[in-house]
Amino acid sequence: MDIVEQIDKINRQLTVKGYKLTPQREITLKVLLENEKDHLSAEDVFMLVKQKFPDIGLATVYRTLELLSELHIVQKMNFGDGVARFDLRMEGHDHMHHHLVCKVCGALEEIEEDWLTDLEQKIAREYGFQVTDHRLDFRGVYQTCKNNNKPCKRVGKAVS
Amino acid sequence: MDIVEQIDKINRQLTVKGYKLTPQREITLKVLLENEKDHLSAEDVFMLVKQKFPDIGLATVYRTLELLSELHIVQKMNFGDGVARFDLRMEGHDHMHHHLVCKVCGALEEIEEDWLTDLEQKIAREYGFQVTDHRLDFRGVYQTCKNNNKPCKRVGKAVS
DNA sequence: TTTCGTGCAAAGGTTTTGCACCGCA
DNA sequence: TGCGGTGCAAAACCTTTGCACGAAA
């Protein structure tokens, strides 16, 4: 599924809900699609969108991200560095991704495996709670960082 | 271990690092201990402390929470509602707790079990990443909320 | 005296909101 | 015309910081 198809699909989702795919929204979506792995902040998105559409306002980006959040097209996340970060949720998003956050190099690595299916069933059984979403972050240190005692890699946007 | 002993222990931790247990810090700790399950925000803590010590300033509460965070006595968390929340980490804190966040009633339930020990070993093996901390939140709906189609319970502070 | 901790107020940074305007049905 | 969407600036909000003062070693 290429970017055009993706945007087309999202366009239909918007239309169903009575929203329009304005040029600003389309470009914001493109930026999100092109940086799918990067956990962009609103400011990041704004700067990238501005390159393609210089007249856009920051408020529009916030409003678009908010809208896309509500429609569960993007997911708003928070890594504790004071800014919200946004992730496109692609079609197979039932298996949420997890994160490794390295305290030394600040890298934020994504892990695509889903480890929690069993756990979610257990929670449904034992707590009467139906999980729709989860979030799993590990904080720690890469061995390489630890051995070298210096930053080893930076994947995506670093988080303080 | 009662509150006095706990504070005593924390006092020693502070002393070792060259910090003092001022009245302000002691009362802040008491509030945290008395509301251990509540995920208080800085503002929450401030208001509760102010009842016992009306002259305290908000900045002091922030500074105390920051200090306690650095010493890993409390843990700073973020549930995406725009404020940081703080949890005391009691002695057996190696097994981090997890959360169920209900979208209907806003309840934030704590789960004391540790399900991720195996996973952390796997991560160390396969990703060369040594985990010191993790965070696991599940979002979803309580069956009771779903059946009644209205909020079913509120545990601790609700989160928007 | 020196140092750490404090209260207050101001500043900082992120996000939201009010408002006038614009384009499309 | 009506309405959703936009840009801009102002506001709101949470958190941090500068500064002068105070208490304790």
Side-chain angles (χ1 to χ4, degrees):
Chain A
M1 193 139 133
D2 68 1
I3 290 195
V4 176
E5 284 178 273
Q6 305 246 31
I7 293 192
D8 225 60
K9 183 179 167 193
I10 293 170
N11 186 9
R12 289 194 295 275
Q13 292 181 254
L14 288 172
T15 307
V16 167
K17 299 271 185 178
Y19 300 107
K20 293 173 199 155
L21 185 64
T22 62
Q24 288 92 332
R25 288 179 182 165
E26 182 165 356
I27 291 174
T28 305
L29 277 169
K30 268 208 190 95
V31 162
L32 289 169
L33 283 160
E34 287 165 1
N35 299 276
E36 218 185 311
K37 301 266 137 132
D38 271 359
H39 308 287
L40 301 176
S41 68
E43 191 73 29
D44 294 335
V45 175
F46 176 58
M47 288 191 307
L48 290 168
V49 172
K50 219 169 164 50
Q51 289 171 16
K52 309 188 180 196
F53 194 111
D55 280 350
I56 199 166
L58 179 55
T60 301
V61 171
Y62 272 103
R63 283 189 279 235
T64 301
L65 291 171
E66 178 64 26
L67 174 63
L68 296 175
S69 265
E70 273 167 27
L71 301 187
H72 299 100
I73 293 167
V74 307
Q75 198 197 6
K76 192 173 178 177
M77 276 178 301
N78 214 307
F79 293 98
D81 59 343
V83 295
R85 293 177 182 279
F86 298 84
D87 257 25
L88 232 324
R89 313 173 101 209
M90 289 297 76
E91 62 263 49
H93 72 253
D94 293 350
H95 84 290
M96 292 290 304
H97 50 252
H98 312 137
H99 299 104
L100 303 184
V101 183
C102 180
K103 291 178 182 176
V104 176
C105 67
L108 205 169
E109 179 168 5
E110 293 224 357
I111 298 181
E112 294 289 351
E113 306 177 51
D114 189 9
W115 292 319
L116 303 186
T117 318
D118 296 348
L119 221 44
E120 290 183 2
Q121 284 168 11
K122 183 185 166 85
I123 289 171
R125 265 198 322 274
E126 296 181 11
Y127 291 85
F129 185 87
Q130 192 179 326
V131 175
T132 56
D133 231 4
H134 64 243
R135 161 179 182 155
L136 176 53
D137 300 337
F138 294 93
R139 293 184 67 82
V141 188
Y142 284 104
Q143 273 306 334
T144 20
C145 277
K146 201 176 181 186
N147 297 343
N148 304 343
N149 201 25
K150 64 170 189 191
C152 60
K153 58 170 154 179
R154 291 195 165 268
V155 184
K157 285 282 170 223
V159 170
S160 67
Chain B
M1 192 140 140
D2 68 1
I3 289 193
V4 176
E5 285 177 273
Q6 305 245 32
I7 293 191
D8 224 61
K9 184 179 166 193
I10 293 170
N11 187 9
R12 289 195 294 276
Q13 292 180 252
L14 289 172
T15 308
V16 167
K17 299 272 184 176
Y19 300 106
K20 293 171 200 157
L21 185 64
T22 62
Q24 289 92 331
R25 287 178 182 167
E26 183 166 357
I27 292 174
T28 305
L29 277 170
K30 267 206 190 97
V31 162
L32 289 169
L33 283 161
E34 287 165 1
N35 299 275
E36 217 185 312
K37 301 265 139 136
D38 270 359
H39 309 287
L40 301 176
S41 68
E43 192 71 33
D44 294 336
V45 174
F46 176 59
M47 289 191 306
L48 290 167
V49 171
K50 218 169 165 51
Q51 289 170 16
K52 309 187 180 195
F53 194 110
D55 281 351
I56 199 166
L58 179 56
T60 301
V61 171
Y62 271 104
R63 282 189 279 235
T64 301
L65 290 171
E66 178 65 25
L67 174 63
L68 295 175
S69 266
E70 272 167 26
L71 301 187
H72 298 101
I73 293 167
V74 307
Q75 199 199 5
K76 192 172 179 178
M77 276 177 300
N78 215 306
F79 292 97
D81 59 344
V83 296
R85 293 175 183 278
F86 298 85
D87 258 25
L88 231 326
R89 311 174 104 209
M90 289 298 75
E91 62 264 46
H93 72 254
D94 292 350
H95 82 293
M96 293 290 305
H97 50 252
H98 311 138
H99 300 102
L100 303 184
V101 183
C102 180
K103 291 179 183 174
V104 177
C105 68
L108 206 169
E109 180 168 5
E110 294 224 355
I111 297 182
E112 294 289 351
E113 308 176 49
D114 188 8
W115 292 319
L116 302 186
T117 319
D118 295 347
L119 221 44
E120 291 182 2
Q121 284 167 11
K122 184 186 167 83
I123 289 170
R125 262 197 326 273
E126 297 182 11
Y127 292 85
F129 185 87
Q130 192 179 327
V131 175
T132 56
D133 232 3
H134 64 242
R135 156 176 186 157
L136 176 54
D137 302 337
F138 294 93
R139 294 184 68 82
V141 189
Y142 284 107
Q143 272 307 334
T144 21
C145 277
K146 201 177 181 185
N147 298 342
N148 304 343
N149 200 24
K150 64 171 190 190
C152 61
K153 59 169 154 180
R154 290 197 165 267
V155 185
K157 286 281 173 224
V159 171
S160 68

